[in-house]
């Protein structure tokens, strides 16, 4: 049976058992919740090394790219701007849909009491005075900043000096992905252990919010494609958006069904080259980079889910905290692997960056694959839109006539 199916069974099972235990929720909290807690501890265990290693590797690929300065600069600029817009759309929809409102799950006292810092402090705090301290405390923005410095600096060194460093972290990142895979294989039990006590204490009304989360993420993805990518290809590449979406539809469909940007790469390269006439050079540079560092759909999903979790616990996120989410999700997307479920692990990092309870991610965990399909699709469409406009600005876009007739 596929893992996704098992996770769904865990979710549904948790809802049913939770519903049966509504009259005596202490059974759920005493005997079932520890399994959920164990799953959360496992996720927490890998966050710091995973983020550190994968960001160093991600940043190192950006550093390489810098050598191709003009195209590299344009590509990275486009990737970061569109990702930031995506988180903003996610936050707006999260505010509008209010998916987690009205449940008021009690929070641990220390989370509720956590003071939100001002925007200036938030920005200053990004630079760690002691990076090891940042790692020990799991301060996500500091870890991201330090990893970016390390990765980019390593690529500016001579090959024999910088490469061993990057190789080590590449290998660490691979090990972390392996452990992530193992932890995700426990997700059905983890989701069961986390959902059962929540439903037992709150009743089945917790399910409506999940439907709202799905609607908000799907609508956000559609809006992002309709607003951002359409405008970009129309104004910069002078191509009709409909025509663009048709041309890259094989990549979009593959991404939707595999939930993996990396796995979709061969199809995206083919689609932009054959259907849009993007040059070899641009396609083989912009798309692999995009599959590694550009995750608009993932960032949008994190915006929606962070608000969902805050609302779930009745916590208000102030402006500085929402700005922190934009920053963490945008920069964090650089270190998100293009594989199924990677964005969910990064969501826990985003939640941690603003002091939201990670338990909130559990509810999302049960429906994560449905969200992953939409966000991966947008991640890949974003990459192909970048290839198209970069090729256009470089004079390397030769749209074939056959597509014009589609
Ligand atoms: N599955 C996504 C991708 O491959 C990453 C994520 O989980 O958000 O693009």
């Amino acid at each position: 049976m596929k893992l996704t199916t098992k996770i769904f069974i865990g979710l549904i099972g948790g809802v049913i058992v939770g519903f049966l235990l509504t009259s005596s929720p202490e059974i759920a909290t005493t005997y079932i919740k520890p399994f959920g807690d164990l799953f959360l501890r496992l996720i927490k265990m890998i966050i710091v090394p995973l983020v550190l290693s994968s960001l160093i590797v991600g940043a190192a690929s950006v550093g390489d790219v810098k050598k191709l300065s003009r195209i590299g600069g344009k590509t990275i600029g486009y990737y970061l701007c569109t990702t930031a817009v995506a988180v903003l759309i996610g936050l707006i929809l999260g505010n509008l849909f209010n998916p987690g409102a009205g449940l008021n799950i009690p929070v641990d006292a220390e989370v509720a009491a956590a003071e939100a810092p001002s925007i200036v402090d938030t920005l200053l705090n990004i630079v760690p005075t002691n990076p090891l301290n940042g790692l020990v405390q799991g301060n996500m923005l500091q870890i991201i900043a330090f990893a970016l410095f390390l990765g980019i600096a390593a690529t500016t060194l001579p090959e024999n000096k910088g490469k061993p460093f990057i190789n080590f972290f590449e290998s660490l990142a691979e090990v972390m992905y392996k452990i992530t895979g193992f932890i995700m294989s426990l997700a059905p039990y983890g989701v069961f252990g986390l959902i059962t006590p929540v439903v037992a204490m709150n009743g089945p009304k917790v399910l409506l919010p999940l439907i709202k989360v799905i609607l908000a993420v799907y609508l956000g993805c559609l809006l992002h494609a309709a607003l951002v990518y359409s405008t970009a290809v129309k104004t910069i590449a002078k191509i009709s958006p409909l025509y663009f979406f048709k041309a890259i539809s094989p990549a979009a469909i593959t991404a939707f069904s595999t939930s993996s940007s990396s796995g979709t790469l061969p199809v995206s390269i083919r689609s932009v080259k054959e259907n849009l006439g993007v040059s070899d050079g641009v396609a083989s540079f912009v798309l692999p980079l995009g599959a590694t560092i550009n995750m608009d759909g993932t960032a949008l999903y994190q915006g929606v889910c962070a608000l969902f979790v805050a609302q779930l616990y009745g916590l208000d996120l102030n402006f500085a905290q929402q700005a922190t989410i934009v920053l963490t999700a945008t920069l964090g997307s650089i270190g998100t692997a293009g594989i199924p479920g990677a964005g969910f692990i990064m969501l826990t990092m985003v939640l941690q960056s603003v002091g939201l309870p990670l338990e909130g991610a559990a509810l999302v965990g049960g429906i994560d694959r449905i969200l992953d399909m939409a966000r991966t699709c947008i991640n890949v469409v974003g990459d192909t839109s970048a290839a198209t406009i970069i090729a256009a600005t470089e004079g390397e876009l030769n749209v074939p006539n056959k597509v014009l007739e589609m």
Side-chain angles (χ1 to χ4, degrees):
M1 203 191 299
K2 282 217 281 197
L3 181 62
T4 326
T5 322
K6 287 190 193 157
I7 297 178
F8 268 122
I9 295 176
L11 173 73
I12 304 295
V15 172
I16 296 172
V17 176
F19 181 60
L20 295 175
L21 290 176
T22 36
S23 49
S24 44
E26 65 289 346
I27 299 183
T29 46
T30 318
Y31 299 106
I32 300 178
K33 191 164 174 284
F35 291 100
D37 290 341
L38 174 67
F39 177 62
L40 274 186
R41 289 187 77 98
L42 285 168
I43 291 188
K44 287 184 194 172
M45 175 180 86
I46 52 163
I47 296 179
V48 169
L50 176 71
V51 171
L52 181 75
S53 56
S54 54
L55 259 179
I56 289 178
V57 177
S61 58
V62 175
D64 269 344
V65 166
K66 273 230 145 153
K67 291 182 197 130
L68 291 157
S69 53
R70 199 183 58 235
I71 300 186
K74 271 196 270 191
T75 312
I76 292 164
Y78 178 78
Y79 281 158
L80 289 180
C81 290
T82 50
T83 307
V85 173
V87 200
L88 279 177
I89 294 181
L91 286 174
I92 292 171
L93 286 175
N95 277 311
L96 283 180
F97 273 69
N98 233 340
L103 282 175
N104 274 324
I105 297 177
V107 204
D108 293 347
E110 87 237 45
V111 176
E115 266 277 313
S118 75
I119 185 94
V120 175
D121 285 343
T122 307
L123 290 176
L124 277 178
N125 260 331
I126 297 175
V127 178
T129 49
N130 178 349
L132 293 185
N133 211 15
L135 283 168
V136 170
Q137 293 178 343
N139 183 321
M140 285 307 150
L141 277 177
Q142 294 192 350
I143 297 174
I144 291 174
F146 189 52
L148 292 178
F149 272 115
L150 288 177
I152 294 173
T155 54
T156 61
L157 295 176
E159 177 100 8
N160 62 338
K161 297 256 166 40
K163 202 74 188 125
F165 177 85
I166 296 169
N167 283 347
F168 170 77
F169 283 101
E170 223 154 29
S171 169
L172 181 63
E174 288 300 326
V175 173
M176 288 304 138
Y177 291 142
K178 195 85 206 166
I179 301 179
T180 307
F182 163 69
I183 296 173
M184 290 321 284
S185 72
L186 300 178
Y189 312 101
V191 166
F192 176 82
L194 288 160
I195 294 245
T196 309
V198 174
V199 177
M201 285 191 296
N202 299 279
K205 66 173 191 282
V206 286
L207 294 185
L208 182 67
L210 291 180
I211 295 172
K212 284 199 205 159
V213 170
I214 296 177
L215 286 179
V217 170
Y218 272 70
L219 181 67
C221 287
L222 285 176
L223 276 177
H224 190 62
L227 298 176
V228 179
Y229 303 144
S230 295
T231 314
V233 293
K234 187 156 177 63
T235 54
I236 304 175
K238 310 269 183 280
I239 296 182
S240 119
L242 212 56
Y243 171 99
F244 164 76
F245 288 122
K246 267 185 187 163
I248 54 92
S249 59
I253 294 166
T254 311
F256 189 80
S257 46
T258 60
S259 291
S260 167
S261 312
S262 302
T264 307
L265 200 50
V267 187
S268 0
I269 293 179
R270 234 186 104 154
S271 300
V272 297
K273 280 200 328 200
E274 285 187 2
N275 299 343
L276 288 164
V278 172
S279 73
D280 242 352
V282 170
S284 62
F285 162 74
V286 175
L287 292 176
L289 182 68
T292 324
I293 71 163
N294 183 48
M295 308 272 161
D296 292 0
T298 303
L300 188 149
Y301 141 92
Q302 288 168 344
V304 172
C305 291
L307 275 178
F308 166 66
V309 172
Q311 292 156 358
L312 210 55
Y313 290 87
L315 300 168
D316 269 336
L317 290 179
N318 65 14
F319 180 72
Q321 283 171 307
Q322 301 211 16
T324 304
I325 293 176
V326 174
L327 254 176
T328 324
T330 305
L331 296 176
S333 68
I334 297 176
T336 307
I339 52 171
F344 175 67
I345 305 278
M346 285 306 201
L347 172 65
T348 58
M349 175 196 85
V350 172
L351 297 182
Q352 186 159 327
S353 74
V354 284
L356 287 172
L358 297 198
E359 283 76 1
L363 278 175
V364 179
I367 50 162
D368 198 61
R369 185 58 181 235
I370 302 177
L371 304 176
D372 203 355
M373 293 162 78
R375 65 183 191 247
T376 309
C377 181
I378 288 302
N379 291 346
V380 167
V381 176
D383 301 342
T384 54
S385 77
T388 311
I389 64 153
I390 304 287
T393 57
E394 292 292 315
E396 294 189 31
L397 184 73
N398 294 304
V399 184
N401 288 330
K402 73 173 169 88
V403 184
L404 281 170
E405 287 153 16
M406 272 201 326

